[in-house]
């Protein structure tokens, strides 16, 4: 009886295996040797699809970007720019929270990554369509990325140990409940993200109000 053939090596299979390795062990764990072993192929065969390890990591990062919902920015869904940013921010953070080890690669910017560029294009296009000047639309896209990427890098709540004795009130009079944060990680971290996002969007709304008020005040506007 013939032995079953191994699945053909493809970019998609390499990216999937590399992504699993990054999730499990971090960026430094990725090597052509480890990937080839995981895929059951020889190391040189990977170079038929990617020239370098960095190219593989870029592809993993782009696969994560591709999971971010951009439907709220499509012309047929055009509406409140603030609501669109809010929905997009949550989708983006959800994608990154599932794969925090790849965030340092994403933080370099989209470069030539197709999904990353589509993401940047969608945000910029929606902001300019809403009336934001191009320069400010660029800043809004950058600001949102800083905030979302930063929120996905680490957990504030997990930064505290669950040992009450670690926070002696004589040394830290205001950290008497800090040992409880770790067990409430999701509540604390998601609450912090929503609080920061609301504050950020509130500030932008004030700027937008001033912008549109100034535009409508112009003769002939």
């Amino acid at each position: 009886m013939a032995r079953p053939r191994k699945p053909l090596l493809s970019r998609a299979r390499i990216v999937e295996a590399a992504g699993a390795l990054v999730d499990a062990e971090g960026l430094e764990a990725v090597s052509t040797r480890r990937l080839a072993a995981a895929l059951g192929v020889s190391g040189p065969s990977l170079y038929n699809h990617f020239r370098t390890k960095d190219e593989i990591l870029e592809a993993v990062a782009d696969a994560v970007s591709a999971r971010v919902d951009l439907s709220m920015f499509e012309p047929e869904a055009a509406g409140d720019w603030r609501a669109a940013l809010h929905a997009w921010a949550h989708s983006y953070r959800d994608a990154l929270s599932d794969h925090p080890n790849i965030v340092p690669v994403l933080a370099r910017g989209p470069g030539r990554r197709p999904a990353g560029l589509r993401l940047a294009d969608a945000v910029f296009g929606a902001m300019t369509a809403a009336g934001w000047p191009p320069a400010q639309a660029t800043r809004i896209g950058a600001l949102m990325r800083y905030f979302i990427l930063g929120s996905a890098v680490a957990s504030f709540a997990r930064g505290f140990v669950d040992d009450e004795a670690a926070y002696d009130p004589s040394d830290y009079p205001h950290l008497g409940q800090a040992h409880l944060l770790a067990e409430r990680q999701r509540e604390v971290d998601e609450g912090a993200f929503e609080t920061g996002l609301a504050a950020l969007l509130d500030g932008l709304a004030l700027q937008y109000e001033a912008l549109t008020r100034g535009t409508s005040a112009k003769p002939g506007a």
Side-chain angles (χ1 to χ4, degrees):
M1 185 173 179
R3 297 175 61 186
R5 297 177 59 187
K6 292 181 180 178
L8 292 175
L9 188 62
S10 65
R11 286 178 65 92
R13 285 191 67 214
I14 295 170
V15 170
E16 182 180 4
L21 195 53
V22 171
D23 287 344
E25 301 182 41
L27 295 172
E28 296 305 316
V30 178
S31 68
T32 54
R33 179 183 61 81
R34 291 284 303 274
L35 284 176
L39 292 163
V41 300
S42 63
S45 64
L46 298 177
Y47 295 113
N48 293 325
H49 301 275
F50 293 97
R51 292 177 298 176
T52 65
K53 167 186 166 179
D54 282 345
E55 279 193 2
I56 296 173
L57 292 176
E58 288 285 321
V60 172
D62 211 40
V64 173
S65 293
R67 300 178 185 183
V68 181
D69 182 14
L70 300 177
S71 62
M72 67 289 293
F73 296 127
E74 294 174 0
E76 57 269 26
D80 182 2
W81 62 267
R82 173 178 174 147
L85 284 181
H86 185 275
W88 168 69
H90 275 280
S91 177
Y92 199 177
R93 182 175 182 268
D94 288 345
L96 300 186
S97 295
D98 288 340
H99 308 281
N101 290 339
I102 199 65
V103 171
V105 179
L106 287 162
R108 300 171 191 165
R112 298 176 182 272
R113 298 193 300 269
L117 290 170
R118 284 193 293 271
L119 188 154
D121 181 72
V123 176
F124 181 81
M127 294 305 100
T128 52
W132 288 98
Q136 187 65 352
T138 299
R139 297 185 191 107
I140 290 171
L143 171 63
M144 295 296 291
R145 284 189 70 255
Y146 297 153
F147 176 69
I148 297 165
L149 289 170
S151 75
V153 167
S155 163
F156 175 82
R158 278 206 310 262
F160 296 87
V161 299
D162 61 0
D163 179 7
E164 185 175 5
Y167 306 107
D168 190 321
S170 63
D171 294 322
Y172 315 107
H174 306 296
L175 295 181
Q177 301 296 307
H179 65 287
L180 301 175
L181 292 175
E183 67 183 42
R184 300 175 183 172
Q185 177 199 336
R186 182 169 182 175
E187 176 187 351
V188 172
D189 291 344
E190 291 187 0
F193 178 76
E194 186 57 43
T195 298
L197 180 59
L200 189 157
L201 295 176
D202 283 346
L204 288 176
L206 290 174
Q207 293 184 32
Y208 188 75
E209 182 182 355
L211 172 71
T212 54
R213 189 168 56 239
T215 301
S216 62
K218 291 180 181 179

